[in-house]
Amino acid sequence: MVTRRTLLLGAIAPLAGCGTLRPPGAAGPPPATIGARRDGWRTTVMSFNVLTPTRGAADFDPSVPDDEVRLAARVPVMAAWIEKAQPDVIGVQENEASSAAALPLPPLLDRLPGFTPVHADLDVPLLVRDSAYAVASADAADISQGYYARHLAWARLTSRATGRSLLVANTHLDPYQRPEMARARAAGASRIVSLLTALNPGWQVPTVLVGDLNTRPRDPRPEYAAALRTIGSAGLRDAADVARADTSRVPGAASVNGLGARVGGRWRYRAIRTDGLRYDYVFVSPGLGVPTWQVVTGPNVRRIDGRPFFADGPLPSDHCPVQAEVVVPAR
């Protein structure tokens, strides 16, 4: 397990020439891949804000049952959604704790055998499927802008199929739709770009950045769109924009589900919001293909009076995961 204790926060070493730090106990290239043909491969990457357990039903509509917002009720559903979606790498946001609430990651990992956590005690850990990748190195940096503690966490992974490297990074920018918070998000995005381009000049190593950016796609207000503009200007592309197909089960499903939506003039618990509101992203570096992208709405969706609802039972979070199938081309 790669945790904060093995990190040098803020230290940047370029990936080229194997300059990246290797955490104690982290695996190098798996023996099965040494000497393997260096061709392309497909992988699936998810971003999932799992809802901090410091929030409860009182933070949502009064019709939301308190017992269904508790972490113990939501974790089995999180695991079921992940198992159905079958991602190889997951960037988790809001892995947070307080004096009254424990971290979400340990009970989730208990239900996800075969995943290795990276930065398990950060708010933005990564989960890596063991059968797909070995963790070659990992690090993280503080990108806080004076409001909330924020981080960029990353790991260099070695594909077990090809022996080639993939850099995956995860982040969570500041919340709230206010001008000062939009400026904080833009500054955080600038810090992310500086870190990643110093670590991986020219995107020599295929790179995927995931996270909850608290930023709407194509926001017409320049100040609010600045974070996405900064990331895009560095060459990273929103997988939703470049995917050949949107395979979301529910067309227009929002990644920010809020545990429900308005139907027929009133708010309904578990109704699926279909206005496309999205704060959650998967970005890919130049040259990577994206056959499919989706907002994941779980193993089951039902319709009531023609409107989509999440299946009965607790929702895993107030966000739906977003997931992209990524193709790393042959060299």
Side-chain angles (χ1 to χ4, degrees), residues 110-206:
D110 286 343
R111 294 176 174 271
L112 294 174
F115 279 89
T116 291
V118 184
H119 311 296
D121 54 354
L122 278 184
D123 55 310
V124 286
L126 292 160
L127 303 183
V128 179
R129 189 179 295 277
D130 297 329
S131 60
Y133 294 103
V135 179
S137 58
D139 211 338
D142 191 319
I143 62 167
S144 305
Q145 299 300 317
Y147 294 99
Y148 297 89
R150 297 298 179 195
H151 299 90
L152 177 73
W154 64 87
R156 181 170 65 87
L157 309 179
T158 302
S159 165
R160 295 189 184 275
T162 68
R164 291 176 59 189
S165 292
L166 179 70
L167 177 65
V168 182
N170 182 27
T171 197
H172 187 188
L173 297 183
D174 285 316
Y176 305 121
Q177 300 304 308
R178 301 197 300 262
E180 70 275 17
M181 304 311 288
R183 290 191 290 271
R185 289 191 289 273
S190 294
R191 175 74 170 137
I192 289 167
V193 166
S194 295
L195 288 163
L196 291 180
T197 54
L199 180 70
N200 187 17
W203 307 116
Q204 297 173 59
V205 174

Side-chain angles (χ1 to χ4, degrees), residues 191-265:
R191 175 74 170 137
I192 289 167
V193 166
S194 295
L195 288 163
L196 291 180
T197 54
L199 180 70
N200 187 17
W203 307 116
Q204 297 173 59
V205 174
T207 300
V208 179
L209 168 67
V210 304
D212 174 356
L213 302 192
N214 278 302
T215 303
R216 297 178 173 95
R218 290 172 287 281
D219 195 310
R221 300 166 294 179
E223 193 169 47
Y224 287 77
L228 286 180
R229 189 167 58 247
T230 296
I231 291 171
S233 67
L236 294 172
R237 300 166 300 145
D238 183 354
D241 289 341
V242 299
R244 292 203 302 267
D246 180 343
T247 56
S248 303
R249 185 172 183 180
V250 176
S255 78
V256 186
N257 68 57
L259 303 185
R262 296 193 70 81
V263 177

Side-chain angles (χ1 to χ4, degrees), residues 280-320:
D280 305 279
Y281 293 86
V282 177
F283 296 96
V284 296
S285 60
L288 300 188
V290 184
T292 65
W293 173 92
Q294 65 173 306
V295 174
V296 178
T297 49
N300 298 299
V301 171
R302 61 192 179 112
R303 291 191 173 267
I304 301 175
D305 297 328
R307 289 294 305 268
F309 281 71
F310 298 105
D312 290 337
L315 294 183
S317 173
D318 62 339
H319 286 239
C320 292

